[in-house]
Amino acid sequence: MSSTVKTDTGRNDSPAAGEAARTGRSVRAVRTAGGLSVRLDVRTLVVCVLLTAVALSASVLLIGTGDFPMGPGDVLATLTGSGTAAQEFIVNDLRLPRVLVGLLAGAAFGVAGAVFQAVSRNPLGSPDVLGFSQGSTAGALLVLVFFQGGTFAIAAGSVVGGLVTGLAIFLLAWKGGIHGYRFVLVGIGAAAMLYAIVLYLMTKANIVEATQAVTWMTGTLSGRDWDQVWPLAIVCALLIPLSLLYGRPLRMLEMGDDAAYALGVPVTRVRVVLLAAAVLLVAAATAAAGPIAFLALTAPQLARRLTRSPGPNLLPAALMGAALLVTADWLSQQIFGADQLPVGVLTGLLGGGYLLWLLASQRKAGRI
Amino acid sequence: MLVDSPPEAANAPAAPRRRQITRSAGLVASVGALVAVTALGIAVGAKQVPLDQVWHALFHYTGDDTDVVVRDVRLPRTLLGLLAGAALGLAGTVMQALTRNPLADPGVLGINAGASAAVVSAISFLGITSLTGYVWFAFLGAAVVSVAVYVLGGTRSATPVRLALAGTALSAVLIGYINAVNLLDTAALDRMRFWTVGSLASATMTTVREVAPFLLVGAVLALAVGRPLNAIALGDDQARALGARLTRTRVLAMVAVTLLCGGATAACGPIVYVGLMVPHVVRAVTGPDLRWILPYSAVLSPVLLLGADVLGRVVARPGEIQVGIVTAVVGGPVFIYLVRRRRMAQL
């Protein structure tokens, strides 16, 4: 947290101003006539607005990218309904679903990562490390290899695999409550088993299926259509607001169970609800886009650094995830050429570098 | 793990002797188990070979079909299983002692993934196809990752959790890299996907001959550092007071781990959890003295590996489940059990 005290230009007699003086942040309380009040952290607000802007700009650029390039002006015109028939087809049928899957999956991974990291109280406690992604992958590959299932069946396999894994890890790590390090280590054990199963399925597949499987395992936005958008959109619309509602109690959980309990947080219920929501979000996003490497790990961490705010930062993490994924997809098309490599390769490389830095820089602080 | 004091410090004079007898008897029994599982490894498979036929093929080779199966397929496979199993067990034991971390394992700490990533690069970018070619890359990858994990995990203050996390994180990065290479090079993917599973199936006598020297040197080193590693188990300060040379011991131990993991991985692909499980079982019998744990692990790890290999052949007949998958599926629950135990004992 920043130690410099910012001047609060708001009403100095408000409680928020007092908090600002204590914590060195600009926090304002907005009160409506009806007696409702919302705490506004100015820095967080600015970060959220900026991330939204980045996500939307990258989306416009991404829609304009492809065999039939379009300028941002054309894209915006087409989106508002005044493009030519050809442009309408390209934007609405081909490229808009890809962008929407990117935005939604990114947001879902961001929120889920923030929840996992907060619950495990470990910056590395992301779905990749904990085995949920491997569970989803195993489920999807099982359908792909043994039943030659179509897109929808593969997505269903991924969701079921992720949920079963989530439940299993949760039950195995349960011992009168969920405890941070046990949760992470049980997840690591499960991840290794599931990865072995994934590898086995790979040897059973023919080479076409195997290539398809590796692409899927890396995470890709290529060739998404509306069939993938709708289920993901519904899951996100239900579960992201639910997670945000639990943001405050989750923040208290980070102080430790006893402190949270003393403050009146129903510790176990908050964990169970949030973990269930996070697992479902990961499963839905993985079904639509594959287990995009490291997104859930990095988005919450970057969001936290930008807002310089303690706690899980759920909304900034969601926006960061969406912005990161769409930007990475656009970048990977610019760098590798259109759809040469799935977006997961780029997030994997960037996320890997970030992860190593995180490990190196935080080991002294003893936070990992 | 250090609940019972080392035998030297025990007060009752009768106890160490009884323990000595138990340990020796246990070791003899383990060797018996090894012989039995070796025989199974040769006899059981898609084609069952009666034991007298095995004997015939080994000592009165006439070149009929069964003799060929035994000599050219089963025998190298079993030999490689023996060597690689012992290597992984020794490597796991040394790593657990070196890092004082009960969860240390070449797979968990990412060393297998490092060796794999290096081999994938060699196959895809340099077109290297022979084992002698890529065994060096496997060593390089294993060495780089073992140092990296040790440094990233925090050399002094390395907690089990932190080391396991550093290893898992590095593995995740390396697996991502392997996937990317595979996507760019489908031909490499076709070869790699069988190798990355971890299997003894493609073993030949050439494989065995090429990898054996590295594994033997690694094994000798590992057995030699047992005594100084015992001292390190007491903590750095105590060890120094006892006259152990910390840096030299650590370096030698790392070299041993690199040779053992790199060699085993180059020959059969990444195999996880063997090095994790066996030392824990062994410690329950022998107590904390590495001079006993190391030989026990060297004998019992091949029992596990060959047993898993035979199991994989029997379960999925006429096909087979690769040994790396069997050990991962068996080892995962053991890992979770260790994590769930009341208090994870520090080594």
Side-chain angles (χ1 to χ4, degrees):
Chain A
M1 193 185 302
S2 162
S3 57
T4 53
V5 175
K6 294 187 187 101
T7 49
D8 183 27
T9 52
R11 296 157 300 170
N12 282 327
D13 54 345
S14 72
E19 180 168 345
R22 278 198 308 280
T23 61
R25 304 180 60 81
S26 303
V27 180
R28 295 170 193 221
V30 175
R31 294 193 171 80
T32 63
L36 291 169
S37 69
V38 181
R39 285 170 77 256
L40 276 185
D41 181 326
V42 175
R43 188 178 175 104
T44 305
L45 193 68
V46 171
V47 168
C48 287
V49 170
L50 282 179
L51 286 175
T52 311
V54 170
L56 292 180
S57 324
S59 303
V60 170
L61 286 175
L62 185 56
I63 293 178
T65 308
D67 290 338
F68 182 83
M70 289 165 74
D74 286 343
V75 172
L76 289 175
T78 315
L79 284 175
T80 48
S82 50
T84 65
Q87 284 174 335
E88 293 268 344
F89 171 73
I90 287 169
V91 170
N92 291 337
D93 291 349
L94 298 182
R95 297 190 189 157
L96 191 56
R98 174 186 194 136
V99 172
L100 286 177
V101 167
L103 289 172
L104 290 167
F109 279 124
V111 169
V115 168
F116 282 129
Q117 289 172 7
V119 169
S120 64
R121 275 193 254 158
N122 192 311
L124 292 181
S126 80
D128 319 52
V129 177
L130 290 180
F132 297 94
S133 302
Q134 286 84 345
S136 290
T137 312
L141 281 198
L142 208 61
V143 173
L144 178 71
V145 173
F146 280 146
F147 305 105
Q148 278 81 39
T151 316
F152 182 75
I154 292 175
S158 154
V159 171
V160 172
L163 287 180
V164 170
T165 309
L167 191 67
I169 294 176
F170 190 76
L171 291 178
L172 285 170
W174 184 274
K175 216 171 179 182
I178 286 286
H179 187 273
Y181 88 86
R182 199 190 307 129
F183 187 54
V184 171
L185 288 176
V186 166
I188 288 178
M193 277 173 76
L194 290 163
Y195 188 62
I197 294 170
V198 167
L199 289 177
Y200 174 68
L201 291 170
M202 290 280 290
T203 65
K204 290 277 143 198
N206 63 42
I207 185 69
V208 177
E209 286 167 351
T211 312
Q212 203 184 340
V214 174
T215 310
W216 195 85
M217 277 162 65
T218 316
T220 180
L221 294 179
S222 166
R224 305 295 101 166
D225 60 30
W226 290 100
D227 289 346
Q228 273 121 7
V229 175
W230 290 121
L232 181 60
I234 292 167
V235 170
C236 285
L238 291 175
L239 294 181
I240 291 181
L242 177 75
S243 308
L244 294 180
L245 275 180
Y246 277 87
R248 267 176 83 90
L250 181 62
R251 184 170 159 177
M252 292 180 192
L253 273 185
E254 288 197 332
M255 294 188 292
D257 286 11
D258 293 343
Y261 197 74
L263 288 169
V265 176
V267 173
T268 300
R269 196 185 74 199
V270 170
R271 281 220 180 95
V272 171
V273 169
L274 274 173
L275 280 178
V279 168
L280 274 170
L281 282 169
V282 170
T286 308
I292 294 175
F294 290 125
L295 198 61
L297 177 87
T298 46
Q301 290 289 317
L302 292 176
R304 197 172 183 149
R305 285 192 158 69
L306 281 183
T307 61
R308 293 196 197 148
S309 167
N313 276 304
L314 293 176
L315 184 63
L319 295 171
M320 177 62 87
L324 274 182
L325 183 50
V326 178
T327 311
D329 195 33
W330 177 71
L331 269 180
S332 73
Q333 299 214 35
Q334 302 298 313
I335 299 172
F336 303 126
D339 290 330
Q340 284 299 302
L341 276 178
V343 60
V345 171
L346 192 69
T347 64
L349 291 176
L350 296 178
Y354 172 76
L355 181 62
L356 295 181
W357 175 82
L358 189 72
L359 277 167
S361 67
Q362 299 231 325
R363 78 189 155 96
K364 289 195 195 82
R367 286 190 38 207
I368 295 180
Chain B
M1 286 305 120
L2 275 174
V3 272
D4 35 0
S5 49
E8 290 83 357
N11 291 326
R17 196 166 309 128
R18 199 175 334 121
R19 172 146 239 180
Q20 209 78 350
I21 293 167
T22 322
R23 283 163 164 173
S24 310
L27 198 55
V28 172
S30 307
V31 172
L34 184 61
V35 172
V37 83
T38 307
L40 273 180
I42 297 181
V44 176
K47 179 177 165 63
Q48 300 286 3
V49 183
L51 282 179
D52 57 326
Q53 270 286 343
V54 173
W55 189 262
H56 176 261
L58 292 181
F59 299 102
H60 311 283
Y61 185 75
T62 51
D64 62 27
D65 281 358
T66 322
D67 284 4
V68 172
V69 168
V70 171
R71 274 245 169 143
D72 295 346
V73 182
R74 298 280 168 77
L75 187 62
R77 180 173 189 155
T78 307
L79 281 176
L80 187 62
L82 289 173
L83 285 171
L88 292 169
L90 284 172
T93 312
V94 170
M95 286 171 77
Q96 289 177 13
L98 184 67
T99 58
R100 278 185 257 152
N101 180 347
L103 301 177
D105 166 79
V108 175
L109 293 195
I111 297 182
N112 287 341
S116 306
V119 171
V120 171
S121 313
I123 291 180
S124 186
F125 298 130
L126 305 173
I128 290 169
T129 47
S130 74
L131 177 67
T132 19
Y134 56 66
V135 72
W136 295 104
F137 288 90
F139 287 140
L140 184 70
V144 170
V145 171
S146 36
V147 172
V149 167
Y150 202 54
V151 170
L152 287 174
T155 35
R156 282 286 162 78
S157 52
T159 65
V161 182
R162 208 181 302 170
L163 269 180
L165 276 174
T168 311
L170 264 179
S171 290
V173 176
L174 293 166
I175 288 168
Y177 166 77
I178 294 171
N179 280 345
V181 173
N182 283 342
L183 279 173
L184 289 170
D185 185 347
T186 333
L189 167 64
D190 211 16
R191 261 176 290 146
M192 283 305 306
R193 64 188 170 130
F194 294 98
W195 184 83
T196 41
V197 171
S199 166
L200 299 172
S202 57
T204 62
M205 279 323 260
T206 325
T207 321
V208 175
R209 262 198 304 276
E210 282 172 357
V211 84
F214 300 108
L215 297 185
L216 290 178
V217 173
V220 170
L221 264 181
L223 291 169
V225 293
R227 198 183 193 32
L229 277 179
N230 268 344
I232 287 187
L234 301 170
D236 286 4
D237 293 339
Q238 295 244 31
R240 222 174 270 121
L242 288 171
R245 281 185 263 181
L246 290 182
T247 313
R248 196 184 70 165
T249 306
R250 289 213 171 100
V251 169
L252 286 180
M254 296 288 263
V255 171
V257 167
T258 305
L259 284 172
L260 293 166
C261 295
T265 305
C268 17
I271 293 175
V272 294
Y273 284 142
V274 173
L276 176 81
M277 288 186 278
V278 175
H280 280 282
V281 177
V282 169
R283 230 176 267 121
V285 181
T286 63
D289 188 348
L290 280 166
R291 287 171 300 172
W292 281 97
I293 301 176
L294 285 166
Y296 257 97
S297 293
V299 175
L300 282 179
S301 304
V303 174
L304 175 67
L305 192 68
L306 283 176
D309 190 39
V310 171
L311 189 68
R313 277 184 259 168
V314 173
V315 169
R317 213 180 310 194
E320 66 171 71
I321 300 177
Q322 290 83 347
V323 65
I325 288 154
V326 179
T327 59
V329 171
V330 174
V334 175
F335 181 89
I336 290 173
Y337 164 77
L338 289 174
V339 169
R340 272 184 62 87
R341 275 199 321 201
R342 191 166 41 86
R343 184 176 151 275
M344 242 193 319
Q346 294 277 324
L347 288 180

